[in-house]
Amino acid sequence: MVSLILFGSFFVLLLLNVPIGLSLGISSVAALIAENLPFSMIPSNLYSSTGKFVLLAIPFFILGGNVMEKSGISARLIDFCRTLVGHRKSGMALVCVIVACFFAAISGSGPATVAALGMILIPAMVKAGYDKGDSAALMSTAGAIGIIIPPSITFVIYGSVTGKSVGSLFASGIVPGILMGIFLVFAMQFVSRGRELVLLPKANGKERWAAFKEAFWGLLMPVIILGGIYGGIFTPTEAAAVSALYGLIVGLFIYRTLSLKDIMPILRDSVSQTAVVMFIVGTASLFAWVLTVTGVAADASNLLIQVSAGNKYIFLLIVNIILLIAGCFIDANSAMYIIVPILYPVAEALGIDGVHLGCIMVMNLAIGLVTPPVGVNLYVGCGIADISLKRMSKSVLPFVVASIIALLLTTYLPFIPMTLPNLLG
């Protein structure tokens, strides 16, 4: 009965367009009333879930991403990649995916990656001969790599829920993120077959060196973050703080695209974005707590074990189906708190590495960023390209298929996500 109240009220509220954070909170309170559980657990649960040291990485990564976005790093990265691959067949598609991967390692956010790069890249791809819908779809899907390649806020949240090393989780997303990008380029080549594409003139060594020097400080940021983490210099949370400080130094003193008067709006935007994420974290953790104390999570886990008959390959297939469907309706951060308590115990019982499961979950939820009706990246891409959601939903289908192929390879070939975490310890 409590599961019906909890999930029923949650999905009804979603259908009524109630914000995800409020939907989670209201449905949790409804379940508490139905089960006659004490309301005194609400403030303590909200505090314990949001007061974790590892979650301090979230506001700093958001701040660092906003600073680098406002510093003009996106245009410099695009120019550098143009000089490298712009002259090749499908050159602008390659530029789009490569820059998305680089910017993902700066912002850690899918929608931020689409917003920062789409204004430049979507018109550039259209000018090169690509269809506008395909261009917007590629940009939106490539932007989803932002939550796979580190630093990733979604990996931070998964680590806080499961206790897994955030550094290992970050490492697990690097190869799958690149693999997903490769398949997206193939998908763009497929949908653009027969079109006359305009190739950019090949850049000479001097032009490439000049573009590299301009983009250098942006390219250095992920090196500092990841090198510092895996070199044992600082923790992921400290790395987030370093990234924010580094971004300010680059914007104020190196690129000089920021002034002191720009800092307050950047801080205001970062606080607003952090508040949204942390509110969702708090209400989603309350939802997860209700799932646990009422026994719904345990019942669901037992059901999964029975359905999969103890076969981890069948279980992983079920996991992908559940998460691909869930990604159509709820955001990645909420899904971590709702679904991990159900899936994680089963994965442990079947001998599946928690880091591997985390990478699978994040890839699924990244795909959810471009699947309607709640695909945030789709709406950002539609707004930039000025096309309808209907057209965008049709154009994005080949890229979703390409992403699912990368997901399946990551799911059933564990060495793809696990080689780097194992090497880095």
Side-chain angles (χ1 to χ4, degrees), residues 127-148:
K127 186 177 179 181
Y130 293 102
D131 176 76
K132 182 187 280 191
D134 293 338
S135 301
L138 175 64
M139 184 70 258
S140 299
T141 316
I145 298 174
I147 70 169
I148 302 172

Side-chain angles (χ1 to χ4, degrees), residues 70-73 76 250-259 262:
K70 301 294 191 298
S71 298
I73 186 60
R76 288 173 170 85
V250 170
L252 289 171
F253 303 112
I254 298 176
Y255 289 154
R256 296 183 180 180
T257 48
L258 294 179
S259 63
D262 296 319

Side-chain angles (χ1 to χ4, degrees), residues 68-88:
M68 295 302 283
E69 179 185 344
K70 301 294 191 298
S71 298
I73 186 60
S74 56
R76 288 173 170 85
L77 288 174
I78 290 169
D79 287 340
F80 175 54
C81 289
R82 274 175 174 162
T83 64
L84 294 180
V85 298
H87 61 283
R88 298 181 180 276

